[in-house]
Amino acid sequence: MSALTKARQEQRIVDEFHHLIALNADHAEDPAWMITATAYTLSIDEKAVRKVWNDRFHIGGAC
């Protein structure tokens, strides 16, 4: 996968996260649901979606 293709896929994933948060505020604090729903909606491997989640949305040490 080229760098441009990877960047576009990551942006699609981020856009879908924002879309799901806007539509389902009840699930916004459930990363497992967000990752699974995004992977299913975009037909992308859940592992790739989880990586984007961890890179962009996970706040380490916040627990």
Side-chain angles (χ1 to χ4, degrees):
M1 179 181 312
S2 72
L4 180 59
T5 303
K6 184 178 177 186
R8 286 182 177 161
Q9 179 177 345
E10 286 181 4
Q11 189 57 50
R12 284 181 57 217
I13 293 169
V14 169
D15 291 343
E16 186 62 25
F17 283 146
H18 290 155
H19 179 77
L20 287 174
I21 290 169
L23 290 177
N24 302 297
D26 297 344
H27 293 290
E29 295 179 17
D30 184 2
W33 184 87
M34 295 289 294
I35 291 166
T36 302
T38 300
Y40 178 78
T41 301
L42 298 177
S43 299
I44 297 175
D45 183 37
E46 194 169 321
K47 193 175 187 180
V49 175
R50 184 175 312 281
K51 182 180 179 332
V52 173
W53 177 270
N54 288 335
D55 291 346
R56 303 246 184 132
F57 292 92
H58 178 73
I59 301 171
C63 295

